Amino acid sequence: MAAKDPKILIIGCGISGISAALRLFKAGFRHVRILEATENTGGRIKTAKLGNTITEIGATYIHGPSEENPLFCLARDYGLLDPQALTPENQTMDVYEYPPWVGNWFSSSGQKLSAESMDPALEMFLELMYDTNPSEIDKECASVGHFIRSQAQLRTAEKWKDKDETTRQLLLCALSTMLKFECCASATPSMDEIDLAGFSVYKDLKGVDCTFPSGYESLIQNLMSELPADLVTYNCPVRCVHWNGKESGENTVTVECADGKRIAADHVIVTVPLGYLKKHHSTLFCPPLPAHKLHSIQKIGFGTTDKIYVEFESPWWDADCEVIYLVWKDEEDISDRVSDISKSWIRKISVFTVIKPSESHILCGWISGHEAEYMERLPEHEVRRSITEFVHTFTGNSAITPKRILCSRWFSDPWTCGSYCHLAIGCSAQDLENMMEPLPAKGDKSQPLQVLFAGEATHPCYYSSVHGALLTGWREADRLITHYSSVSPCGDSNQKL
Ligand SMILES: Cc1cc2nc3c(=O)[nH]c(=O)nc-3n(C[C@H](O)[C@H](O)[C@H](O)COP(=O)(O)OP(=O)(O)OC[C@H]3O[C@@H](n4cnc5c(N)ncnc54)[C@H](O)[C@@H]3O)c2cc1C
């Protein structure tokens, strides 16, 4: 048995690290410390401003804001949500019953299309997405992309048979628009890389997605205010977790920081993003991770979704518009890939969402995959030039000029290396189980629970989300609380690691 008042180190000060620390602290554990690589709290929760308007560089929505969602409950209890998000109607709505966004449609020949004329494409896409559930799936299809494409061809041949060829072609192109937008939800280069059976491992909660009027970081600030100010060490990247060792006397784990400092602990909770783990696992753990865990780290996908905020002098969309769909008229093959990324990366932006409420006129362009990664390497003036040309193509109005732009760059972030995880082809729920398994593995007789794993990519059904990450922090804190439940952990509350 480890010490009664264990020393617990948490690596990473994102929502999972913060929630683990808070849970442990509230349970009476006093030797808890977070080591964070950057100078910031929040990790992938990052609020910024474009002019006076709040923009979210990382997470935007509470997905499924309802009683079942602990993130919603926290935000509600801190008083951070709009009255609309708190209404019972909002909380009981199923994902597939969401009131559709008010959309404006533009085609690559510079025309505004009537929203009604594009409804069949929206309906078809929604139907196809709904049918990706396990009872409906075609066992021949390995990927969501393959399923959507093959089923769309079959179903549109029947359903759209009375439409003239030009309309049918345009609706098929609109399916490409939506498929590209779907890539952003999964942070994937293509829906051809998403496992069809694995797709339904993610569980939707009831509730119409809502945002934080004062920014997502307001949640982080509230959580942090409940922790002692000196609990986090910033600018402290961890280089290696030495586990199963005898280096530090009674403690079995030693954390080696980038500046060479070594800190002994009884337990370490690792919350670094999967993208970081993929790149650095071989140097981050000594001895190396067990093969099955490593295999899952390699198999689970971790891709990029970025946002490009663009501010205009005046809106070129309708006053009630919530989303702008951009349809390329040569994409009837229902494709979500761009053929020449260096020339045409911008084609991957298929949708702008309208930032509301806002006095200024700001759109958020969504881009995923290798095209997003390419965009991140471009200088800002080049992104701005491409966006300007892009808007001219779709509006047919070459007088429209963006005032300011602001881009996220998650792939280039050395502590994240992408945006969030997805179940790539061949992945199953077992891979997520492997991710969350502590070290040493079951059956090993060494000191238990030396290294624990939290973070969005370790949640069995809410991976990729903030509420999933939050729950994993609580889960790993509870694992330790249960472990010590027969021993009062409250020691000298002034003692620090
Ligand atoms: C563009 C984008 C949009 C998103 N939209 C949504 C959304 O609308 N709704 C939603 O629910 N989710 C969304 N997400 C996902 C959500 O943001 C994440 O799932 C969640 O914030 C992850 O929290 P975490 O604690 O697991 O990881 P993180 O927040 O990434 O925290 C990990 C921390 O570890 C630190 N770290 C890394 N390496 C080291 C090291 N060696 N030493 C010390 N510290 C280290 C990092 O700096 C970071 O602070 C989005 C993410 C992105 C990128």
Side-chain angles (χ1 to χ4, degrees):
M1 188 67 171
K4 284 187 194 168
D5 190 8
K7 294 179 177 177
I8 302 168
L9 284 177
I10 298 171
I11 306 178
C13 196
I15 187 79
S16 59
I18 297 168
S19 63
L22 198 50
R23 188 85 150 200
L24 287 164
F25 192 74
K26 286 187 172 173
F29 290 79
R30 286 296 175 264
H31 297 168
V32 179
R33 184 161 146 190
I34 300 179
L35 304 177
E36 165 57 44
T38 68
E39 57 186 7
N40 303 313
T41 48
R44 281 170 274 173
I45 292 175
K46 193 173 179 180
T47 304
K49 278 197 164 178
L50 187 58
N52 290 323
T53 305
I54 285 176
T55 53
E56 302 291 1
I57 302 300
T60 302
Y61 304 103
I62 300 184
H63 292 307
S66 51
E67 283 297 329
E68 251 188 281
N69 186 336
L71 174 68
F72 167 74
C73 297
L74 271 179
R76 178 197 56 201
D77 296 349
Y78 285 132
L80 300 175
L81 301 178
D82 261 348
Q84 171 64 30
L86 302 174
T87 59
E89 304 78 65
N90 204 82
Q91 292 174 47
T92 47
M93 193 93 67
D94 253 339
V95 163
Y96 289 100
E97 298 164 359
Y98 275 22
W101 279 347
V102 177
N104 282 183
W105 292 79
F106 290 86
S107 82
S108 54
S109 53
Q111 285 164 316
K112 188 155 184 262
L113 307 165
S114 91
E116 296 72 50
S117 69
M118 303 311 284
D119 273 350
L122 274 178
E123 280 161 20
M124 173 60 65
F125 197 74
L126 200 65
E127 175 190 312
L128 291 167
M129 289 306 289
Y130 185 79
D131 288 350
T132 54
N133 72 58
S135 56
E136 301 288 338
I137 60 174
D138 174 356
K139 299 280 183 292
E140 294 293 301
C141 295
S143 76
V144 174
H146 183 186
F147 172 80
I148 299 274
R149 214 170 2 262
S150 56
Q151 284 297 310
Q153 267 143 12
L154 281 176
R155 297 183 197 192
T156 58
E158 177 54 30
K159 283 202 175 162
W160 297 350
K161 64 174 187 286
D162 297 334
K163 300 195 184 297
D164 64 69
E165 190 51 20
T166 316
T167 309
R168 219 178 61 82
Q169 295 276 325
L170 190 65
L171 290 172
L172 287 171
C173 294
L175 292 181
S176 295
T177 299
M178 282 173 273
L179 197 61
K180 283 189 266 181
F181 192 33
E182 196 55 42
C183 291
C184 294
S186 289
T188 181
S190 164
M191 292 308 284
D192 293 354
E193 299 191 16
I194 302 293
D195 192 274
L196 181 58
F199 197 50
S200 50
V201 169
Y202 184 88
K203 295 281 170 272
D204 289 309
L205 290 167
K206 281 183 189 292
V208 181
D209 291 0
C210 67
T211 57
F212 288 80
S214 328
Y216 228 121
E217 269 189 36
S218 58
L219 173 78
I220 297 294
Q221 284 153 10
N222 274 277
L223 291 169
M224 290 303 291
S225 71
E226 296 197 45
L227 284 169
D230 58 353
L231 189 127
V232 186
T233 308
Y234 295 100
N235 299 309
C236 184
V238 166
R239 186 158 57 199
C240 185
V241 178
H242 300 270
W243 59 288
N244 245 359
K246 301 278 172 265
E247 287 197 32
S248 49
E250 68 177 23
N251 305 117
T252 40
V253 194
T254 304
V255 166
E256 181 189 339
C257 303
D259 62 3
K261 194 164 65 198
R262 298 170 90 86
I263 310 171
D266 296 294
H267 310 281
V268 175
I269 305 180
V270 176
T271 78
V272 303
L274 175 62
Y276 185 89
L277 273 184
K278 278 180 183 286
K279 206 165 171 183
H280 299 287
H281 65 80
S282 64
T283 48
L284 191 61
F285 298 96
C286 181
L289 296 172
H292 66 286
K293 205 175 187 70
L294 198 52
H295 197 51
S296 295
I297 288 174
Q298 285 158 345
K299 261 170 75 186
I300 299 175
F302 193 83
T304 307
T305 289
D306 276 319
K307 302 172 186 179
I308 307 177
Y309 289 97
V310 195
E311 185 181 8
F312 296 90
E313 288 291 349
S314 53
W316 43 271
W317 51 94
D318 295 345
D320 62 346
C321 173
E322 294 169 298
V323 60
I324 297 172
Y325 296 103
L326 306 155
V327 184
W328 288 94
K329 288 179 95 173
D330 58 353
E331 290 187 350
E332 67 276 5
D333 54 347
I334 316 174
S335 159
D336 55 17
R337 292 184 193 268
V338 165
S339 52
D340 183 345
I341 291 183
S342 66
K343 282 207 187 86
S344 310
W345 62 271
I346 200 140
R347 272 187 177 239
K348 196 61 173 261
I349 303 175
S350 66
V351 157
F352 284 119
T353 46
V354 182
I355 303 303
K356 290 193 172 171
S358 175
E359 302 297 290
S360 34
H361 311 293
I362 298 178
L363 299 178
C364 176
W366 295 79
I367 184 164
S368 74
H370 306 307
E371 294 82 355
E373 291 159 18
Y374 183 84
M375 177 279 292
E376 289 190 19
R377 293 196 294 271
L378 295 174
E380 192 177 301
H381 67 84
E382 182 53 33
V383 176
R384 193 192 170 98
R385 193 197 59 74
S386 300
I387 288 278
T388 309
E389 202 178 288
F390 185 66
V391 171
H392 293 172
T393 303
F394 282 94
T395 58
N397 181 351
S398 57
I400 299 173
T401 315
K403 245 170 90 178
R404 279 185 280 218
I405 67 164
L406 176 66
C407 312
S408 67
R409 290 193 159 82
W410 288 104
F411 181 68
S412 320
D413 183 321
W415 311 110
T416 311
C417 314
S419 297
Y420 40 89
C421 81
H422 56 255
L423 291 196
I425 288 188
C427 284
S428 68
Q430 184 58 51
D431 291 298
L432 297 162
E433 298 286 336
N434 292 347
M435 290 294 293
M436 74 178 86
E437 202 179 281
L439 299 174
K442 268 195 204 110
D444 190 315
K445 295 276 181 290
S446 335
Q447 167 82 37
L449 304 184
Q450 294 175 41
V451 188
L452 302 97
F453 293 84
E456 54 92 9
T458 73
H459 196 280
C461 60
Y462 304 138
Y463 53 88
S464 78
S465 71
V466 174
H467 58 285
L470 172 88
L471 283 166
T472 64
W474 286 352
R475 179 191 68 212
E476 296 312 313
D478 286 345
R479 210 191 281 276
L480 290 174
I481 293 166
T482 307
H483 180 68
Y484 286 102
S485 59
S486 58
V487 188
S488 166
C490 304
D492 170 7
S493 59
N494 293 319
Q495 202 182 327
K496 292 267 148 38
L497 268 173

